[in-house]
Amino acid sequence: NPAGFTSTAANPVVSPTVNTTYTVTVTIGSGTTCADTDNALVSVLIPPTADAGADQDICPGTSVQIGVAPTAGFTYSWTPTAGLSNTNIANPIATPVSPTTYTVQITETATGCVNTDAMNITFNAVPTPTFTVSNTCINQITAFTDASTIATGSITAWAWDFDDAGATSTLQNPTHQFSAAGTYQVKLVVTSNLGCKDSITTPITIDPKPT
């Protein structure tokens, strides 16, 4: 028997960490005691290696592949199930609606041994687009000043659509001379250094020339 293990039960529960031989002695008798022994070898199997993949930072509303390439002879089960393209493959596509910790359980088909691993998906900051406008009279240069903000990171790209005969700009603070008086739906899309983006569309009224 392994050091320190004793039991008087007919079928004890054991939890060896290495291959271990257990010996049982069965004793019967009335007056004269009779006994016999037998051995049982318990082999400790090596559990499979589970890999949920590296932690990921993504933009809200986007997707990312998690896990690793599948290995023959193993089955996979992911939790939680929300936001996953398939919960029973090695490398599903995740589209979470909030920061999420995903856990994979891998089972070796031949032995039934299992193991688990977890990975975290967190969200990068999304910029908040806004801008101010000056000079809104026809035949004058209208100036647009970006006032967008972001909690962490930086804004690195601007895309303006002036709603005026296809006029656009990628400058942070552009100017534009509108072709006619009226209301234009000016759109600004801002993108962070980590690729997260958002947009705002604001009506801009260009006043006619006074009579």
Side-chain angles (χ1 to χ4, degrees), residues 127-152:
T128 300
T130 186
F131 60 89
T132 60
V133 183
S134 62
N135 295 331
T136 57
C137 294
I138 190 65
N139 296 328
Q140 293 185 3
I141 299 297
T142 301
F144 295 86
T145 302
D146 170 62
S148 303
T149 59
I150 189 169
T152 58

Side-chain angles (χ1 to χ4, degrees), residues 67-141:
V68 295
T71 301
F74 296 92
T75 61
Y76 302 85
S77 177
W78 289 87
T79 55
T81 60
L84 293 183
S85 61
N86 190 323
T87 60
N88 298 119
I89 62 175
N91 47 359
I93 301 298
T95 312
V97 297
S98 61
T100 303
T101 297
Y102 286 106
T103 300
V104 63
Q105 177 177 286
I106 180 173
T107 303
E108 188 173 15
T109 306
T111 64
C113 292
V114 302
N115 208 343
T116 61
D117 191 36
M119 61 86 63
N120 300 305
I121 295 181
T122 54
F123 283 175
N124 291 319
V126 177
T128 300
T130 186
F131 60 89
T132 60
V133 183
S134 62
N135 295 331
T136 57
C137 294
I138 190 65
N139 296 328
Q140 293 185 3
I141 299 297

Side-chain angles (χ1 to χ4, degrees), residues 133-145 160-169 171 173-180 184 186 204 206:
V133 183
S134 62
N135 295 331
T136 57
C137 294
I138 190 65
N139 296 328
Q140 293 185 3
I141 299 297
T142 301
F144 295 86
T145 302
W160 298 84
D161 184 339
F162 299 113
D163 189 30
D164 183 24
T168 61
S169 176
L171 297 177
N173 302 306
T175 60
H176 179 66
Q177 187 169 347
F178 289 90
S179 58
Y184 297 84
V186 177
I204 304 298
I206 301 299

